Amino acid sequence: MSRYINVAIGQLGPVNREDSRPLVINRMMKMMREAKALAADIIIYPELALTTFFPRWYMEKEEEIDQWFEKDMPGKETNPLFSLAKELKIGFYLGYAEKEIKNGVAHYYNSAVLVDKNADIIGKYRKVHLPGHSEHEPWRRFQHLEKRYFEPGDRFPVWSAFNGVMGMALCNDRRWPETYRVMGLQGAEMIFIGYNTPVHNAPAPQHDDLSLFHNTLSLQAGAYHNGCWVVGVAKAGCEEGIEQIGGSCIVAPSGEVVAACITKGDEVVVAHCDLDFCQIYKRTTFNFDLHRQPHAYKEITQYKGETLNADGSLRS
Amino acid sequence: MSRYINVAIGQLGPVNREDSRPLVINRMMKMMREAKALAADIIIYPELALTTFFPRWYMEKEEEIDQWFEKDMPGKETNPLFSLAKELKIGFYLGYAEKEIKNGVAHYYNSAVLVDKNADIIGKYRKVHLPGHSEHEPWRRFQHLEKRYFEPGDRFPVWSAFNGVMGMALCNDRRWPETYRVMGLQGAEMIFIGYNTPVHNAPAPQHDDLSLFHNTLSLQAGAYHNGCWVVGVAKAGCEEGIEQIGGSCIVAPSGEVVAACITKGDEVVVAHCDLDFCQIYKRTTFNFDLHRQPHAYKEITQYKGETLNADGSLRS
């Protein structure tokens, strides 16, 4: 038995600070047409796809911050992307900065939407694992202020869509095994993950040469350990002087990379993915019902950080 | 700052069904001397190191089963290993089948002990994730009856020892991110994992060629995602006609393999491991206190298996 979804990576090259949304959306529409010509059912764009990666700058003024956020999705500028998707009958995943007014209070999230072939938004995900810091740290070559500009999301839902069970995550989420497991426990068969990852990590620069390895390792482990497909899509290349890793790829439930980008620019790569292939793992090695032992995992939800000091004594 | 432990892999080649414990222990003592000559502080032996991997046979009679288990640790036959360790001032990790009588009832575990340089047992671990099946399945080329012969353990403790925080796991545990995370949350700096893994997996034979890849992937991801060292040690080679994967290695907190066996036989490989190296990861990308979001993980301890059906409806 086979149940296919043809997935396109829609890797973006750099988006500069002065680039307008229509300029970027034109690039994305070009890639959407290319994906459709390659028989794709869905195209996956990166995290914060519509603008440059703005958390690398410290900003204080609300109007300066607000310019990077979408108040509506779709909005005036993103509408053409939705219209084209509807015309072409292709779905998409889009990462963007979301501003929501709720009970008169503004909330800011690092979000992604899952859009079906009728251009209807069928799912929204808000990034749970915000990396970086919240205050200006001038010693860094560039900032990573996600904890300043966004509130964290609080769950990892899955959606029945595209003939299977789909999940979403964003960037740093992919380094946390909990991300995949929470969705795996809900039967996720494919997880889409857009990201922006600089080669240089200011707090641990001694491992800049491993950034790409850590990306692939995390995507592969998440896929294998949950018997699901994982699609990682980068905003890549040198953006505003900062090198980003690229490395977009599609990982099978076996942990094998089955498709990968080879540039740091706008690039479309498609894979023909059998969702039934998940069962080889979900029914055997990773049959959760047979093999998981949640009574031994209580620390995972009970504690946020380390429970012991280095000398073995229990933290107060 | 540096805080070193010199760790020796004590990979074993095949142990046949008729091999006596003294025969195997002699091989292990030879490797212990070799490890000591290479300046090792500790040598790590595989899972069920003292005998052949007996769960590959179906047995019904208690006395037939009992022959594979140790009633005492150390016992008459394992004493020489402890004596040599004390003489050489070297610690060890030893996987073995444990029979414990408690309140007049016999309990059977797949266990490992951590032994210090005075040959004192300072920690015992009982395998949590038992793979395989509990009933005879004659369609298999060989059985994997761990669920028949053992009760599962129920926790992943850590120990302050060898100048750091040490954890233990066994074989199938290494495929479950929860294993590493529970110990990571207790500050584990190094995790020892003995294993017996056949190349052939009867329920999913289409992936036999990936067995070694899945081993390395799991060890690397567990190390990187928790900023700790991971030492995986195999019983390798063709044992009673069954090929086992080997692939013993030492993985740094960066996820890099820093030492690896290159044979499928008895082999000692040593690495000079800086436990302070963990901090590069534990204080940055994997600073749990800063970045984990346990409120979003509740499914991990709440559910054993999948919570949703493939159509997205909640499982009853």
Side-chain angles (χ1 to χ4, degrees), chain A residues 4 15 29 53 68 106 133 137 146 173 186 194 199 239 290:
Chain A
Y4 285 103
V15 174
M29 289 169 67
F53 186 73
W68 305 108
H133 49 111
E137 297 186 1
E146 290 194 56
D173 287 325
Q186 298 173 81
V199 172
E239 187 178 275
L290 281 182

Side-chain angles (χ1 to χ4, degrees), chain A residues 60-305:
Chain A
E60 288 185 332
K61 296 200 189 93
E62 192 180 319
E63 68 268 25
E64 193 184 353
I65 297 169
D66 269 20
Q67 66 175 314
W68 305 108
F69 284 78
E70 312 303 311
K71 285 90 196 166
D72 302 295
M73 185 56 65
K76 202 178 64 160
E77 291 167 318
T78 43
N79 245 328
L81 189 67
F82 283 75
S83 298
L84 181 63
K86 189 166 187 167
E87 178 197 323
L88 298 177
K89 292 276 164 218
I90 185 171
F92 63 94
Y93 159 109
L94 171 68
Y96 68 104
E98 177 195 6
K99 179 177 182 179
E100 184 195 47
I101 308 285
K102 204 172 168 180
N103 303 327
V105 181
H107 297 275
Y108 297 84
Y109 303 100
N110 187 341
S111 298
V113 284
L114 184 62
V115 179
D116 73 9
K117 292 181 177 186
N118 295 317
D120 292 324
I121 292 174
I122 54 171
K124 185 194 284 182
Y125 167 73
R126 289 164 172 169
K127 187 172 179 178
V128 168
H129 296 99
L130 299 170
H133 49 111
S134 52
E135 298 305 324
H136 191 214
E137 297 186 1
W139 63 269
R140 292 174 183 252
R141 188 145 67 77
F142 53 91
Q143 303 294 299
H144 202 115
L145 287 158
E146 290 194 56
K147 286 194 196 287
R148 177 178 187 82
Y149 299 127
F150 305 116
E151 291 176 41
D154 59 3
R155 56 200 203 97
F156 293 101
V158 300
W159 293 270
S160 279
F162 297 96
N163 217 17
V165 182
M166 305 288 132
M168 295 191 272
L170 282 159
C171 197
N172 184 42
D173 287 325
R174 75 196 187 286
R175 303 187 198 276
W176 299 86
E178 291 91 343
T179 297
Y180 308 91
R181 183 63 96 224
V182 170
M183 290 188 271
L185 280 163
Q186 298 173 81
E189 295 176 312
M190 183 173 274
I191 297 174
F192 307 118
I193 310 178
Y195 60 89
N196 282 265
T197 301
V199 172
H200 175 61
N201 178 16
Q206 54 274 74
H207 291 113
D208 287 355
D209 57 323
L210 298 176
S211 300
L212 196 57
F213 163 64
H214 289 155
N215 174 60
T216 317
L217 175 64
S218 297
L219 299 174
Q220 289 181 294
Y224 170 58
H225 291 146
N226 294 278
C228 67
W229 293 85
V230 172
V231 183
V233 179
K235 180 128 66 63
C238 189
E239 187 178 275
E240 292 290 347
I242 310 303
E243 290 291 344
Q244 304 205 107
I245 60 169
S248 303
C249 62
I250 299 175
V251 183
S254 60
E256 293 169 289
V257 174
V258 299
C261 287
I262 54 171
T263 74
K264 298 276 194 283
D266 291 6
E267 184 176 353
V268 175
V269 170
V270 177
H272 184 50
C273 305
D274 181 2
L275 296 172
D276 279 330
F277 189 87
C278 300
Q279 294 304 318
I280 295 171
Y281 291 90
K282 286 184 190 289
R283 287 185 185 154
T284 61
T285 307
F286 298 107
N287 184 323
F288 294 164
D289 280 315
L290 281 182
H291 301 307
R292 287 185 83 243
Q293 300 290 357
H295 62 278
Y297 308 154
K298 59 183 188 299
E299 288 86 349
I300 292 174
T301 46
Q302 201 170 348
Y303 300 106
K304 181 175 170 74

Side-chain angles (χ1 to χ4, degrees), chain B residues 247-306:
Chain B
S248 304
C249 62
I250 299 176
V251 182
S254 60
E256 294 168 289
V257 174
V258 299
C261 287
I262 54 171
T263 74
K264 298 278 195 282
D266 291 7
E267 185 177 352
V268 175
V269 170
V270 177
H272 183 51
C273 305
D274 181 2
L275 296 172
D276 279 330
F277 189 87
C278 300
Q279 293 304 318
I280 295 170
Y281 291 89
K282 286 186 191 288
R283 288 187 184 153
T284 63
T285 308
F286 298 108
N287 183 324
F288 294 163
D289 281 314
L290 281 182
H291 302 307
R292 288 184 83 244
Q293 300 289 356
H295 62 277
Y297 309 154
K298 58 184 190 300
E299 288 86 349
I300 292 173
T301 46
Q302 201 169 351
Y303 300 106
K304 181 176 170 74
E306 290 184 14

Side-chain angles (χ1 to χ4, degrees), chain B residues 54-252:
Chain B
F54 65 85
R56 72 168 69 93
W57 292 286
Y58 178 72
M59 296 169 276
E60 287 185 333
K61 296 200 189 91
E62 192 180 318
E63 67 269 27
E64 192 184 353
I65 297 169
D66 270 18
Q67 66 175 313
W68 305 108
F69 285 78
E70 312 303 313
K71 286 89 194 167
D72 302 296
M73 184 56 65
K76 203 179 62 160
E77 291 167 318
T78 42
N79 246 327
L81 190 67
F82 283 75
S83 299
L84 181 63
K86 190 167 186 165
E87 176 195 326
L88 297 177
K89 292 277 165 218
I90 184 171
F92 63 94
Y93 159 109
L94 171 68
Y96 68 104
E98 176 196 7
K99 180 178 181 178
E100 184 195 46
I101 309 286
K102 204 172 169 179
N103 303 326
V105 181
H107 297 276
Y108 297 83
Y109 303 100
N110 188 340
S111 299
V113 283
L114 183 63
V115 179
D116 72 9
K117 292 181 177 186
N118 294 317
D120 292 324
I121 293 176
I122 54 172
K124 186 194 281 182
Y125 167 73
R126 289 164 170 169
K127 187 171 179 178
V128 168
H129 296 99
L130 298 170
H133 50 110
S134 52
E135 297 305 324
H136 191 213
E137 297 186 2
W139 63 270
R140 292 174 184 251
R141 188 145 66 76
F142 53 92
Q143 304 294 298
H144 201 116
L145 287 158
E146 289 193 55
K147 286 192 195 292
R148 178 178 187 81
Y149 299 128
F150 305 115
E151 291 177 39
D154 59 3
R155 54 198 204 98
F156 293 101
V158 300
W159 293 269
S160 279
F162 297 95
N163 216 17
V165 182
M166 306 286 131
M168 295 192 273
L170 282 159
C171 197
N172 184 42
D173 287 324
R174 74 195 188 286
R175 302 186 198 277
W176 300 86
E178 291 90 344
T179 297
Y180 307 91
R181 184 62 97 226
V182 170
M183 289 187 272
L185 281 163
Q186 297 172 82
E189 296 176 311
M190 183 173 274
I191 297 173
F192 307 119
I193 310 179
Y195 59 89
N196 283 265
T197 301
V199 173
H200 175 62
N201 179 15
Q206 55 275 74
H207 292 114
D208 288 355
D209 57 324
L210 298 176
S211 299
L212 196 55
F213 163 64
H214 289 155
N215 173 60
T216 317
L217 175 63
S218 297
L219 298 176
Q220 290 182 292
Y224 170 58
H225 291 147
N226 294 278
C228 66
W229 293 86
V230 172
V231 183
V233 179
K235 182 127 66 60
C238 189
E239 188 178 273
E240 293 289 347
I242 310 304
E243 290 291 345
Q244 304 205 109
I245 60 168
S248 304
C249 62
I250 299 176
V251 182

